[in-house]
Each structure stands twice: as C-alpha cells, then as structure tokens.
Amino acid sequence: MTETPTATRSTRRTRRLVIVGAVALVLVAGAVVVGVTTTGSRSGTVSTVATKDDSVVLTCTRVNWGGGDNMTIQLDWTALPAGSSTPSVWERSGVSPNFTYNPNVGRNVTWWPNTTQPSRVTFWVNAANSYAGRTEVITWKPAGTSGTDTKYAEVWCPKVS
C-alpha cells in the first residue's frame, strides 16, 4: 500500500501567496473603482465643501396624474438668502459617506415663479423609479461667491404606494 503524497511546504507557501495576492488584487481594484470620480456637468457629484443651510426648508410633494406612470415631483423651498444663485436640483443615492448625486431636471421642468429666484420646481420622474422613495437635494451659491455651489438643503420624498 502506498501513501498519498502530501504537499510540500514550498507548494503550500506558493498556494498561500497566490491566494493572498488574488485577494489583494481584488481589494486594490475595488478601491480604485470606488475612488474614481468623473468630472463635468454630468459627473454626479456635489461639491464636498457644501454645507447644509438649515434656514432653507425643502418639502416634497408627489403628484400622480390620472394613475399609471405619469408621476411628477414638486419641490418647494423657503426663500433662499438674498442674491443666491438659481439652485440646482439633484437626486441623492448611495450610502454615506459614498453618496452620488444625479442631476434631476431635464424633462418638462417648471420653475416657479421664475428661473431667476424660484421657490418651486416640478419635474417628471423616470417611470422605472416613479414610486420609489428618494432624497431630493437643492444646491446654490450664496451672494458674492463664485465657483461651485456651497450651500444645500435636502428632503426625503417617501415611497408612493
């Protein structure tokens, strides 16, 4: 009767190194993917220096026109500080601290009372996401500032049943 040969110490060490190397490669690749951010108007990022302005209160109302997928979201907010820029509207997704922000206006957008200093925006919601809960965010630049928006307000829009 012959013995089954056992792996030599060298073979076991090589096998462990290959496994550890593969795990390290996966972790590094994951960190690179998470760390990559795009730039430009559709990058899906909001300035990391933006701070929440508790003086601006944002509310969300969902309107379903005649059933089906004709869902709109109406965002209302209290007046922005005098001289502020027209706000940008975003949908926030993801988990802290890795939130992503997607531009939320584009189709049938209505600013009220005007585009210079609005206090309401309504827009269509993608039919695939029309009934899901979502966090809506507005960002703006205070008077006398330039560059990216530095202030924001946010609201949770609950799921529509």
Side-chain angles (χ1 to χ4, degrees), residues 91-153:
E91 177 186 352
R92 185 179 79 193
S93 58
V95 178
S96 179
N98 300 313
F99 291 125
T100 57
Y101 294 85
N102 298 308
N104 222 356
V105 293
R107 183 170 169 224
N108 296 326
V109 176
T110 305
W111 293 95
W112 187 87
N114 58 55
T115 58
T116 306
Q117 213 36 257
S119 59
R120 171 182 292 163
V121 64
T122 59
F123 51 91
W124 291 102
V125 180
N126 182 315
N129 298 323
S130 62
Y131 297 102
R134 52 205 284 150
T135 300
E136 299 295 338
V137 179
I138 62 169
T139 61
W140 67 92
K141 291 185 273 286
T145 62
S146 61
T148 60
D149 293 349
T150 58
K151 296 290 183 180
Y152 75 92

Side-chain angles (χ1 to χ4, degrees), residues 22-40:
V23 169
L25 181 64
V26 168
L27 290 174
V28 168
V32 168
V33 169
V34 168
V36 171
T37 57
T38 57
T39 59

Side-chain angles (χ1 to χ4, degrees), residues 58 60 92 132-136 154-159:
L58 187 60
C60 176
R92 185 179 79 193
R134 52 205 284 150
T135 300
E136 299 295 338
E154 64 184 2
V155 66
W156 170 250
C157 292
K159 178 181 178 180

Side-chain angles (χ1 to χ4, degrees), residues 6 8 11 13 17 26 29 35 48 55 57 62 65 78-79 89 109 127 141 148-149 158:
T6 58
T8 65
T11 304
R13 187 180 310 128
L17 283 173
V26 168
T48 56
S55 70
V57 178
R62 290 172 175 261
W65 297 4
T78 55
V89 180
V109 176
K141 291 185 273 286
T148 60
D149 293 349

Side-chain angles (χ1 to χ4, degrees), residues 60-72:
C60 176
T61 306
R62 290 172 175 261
V63 181
N64 188 340
W65 297 4
D69 291 328
N70 297 321
M71 181 68 67
T72 62

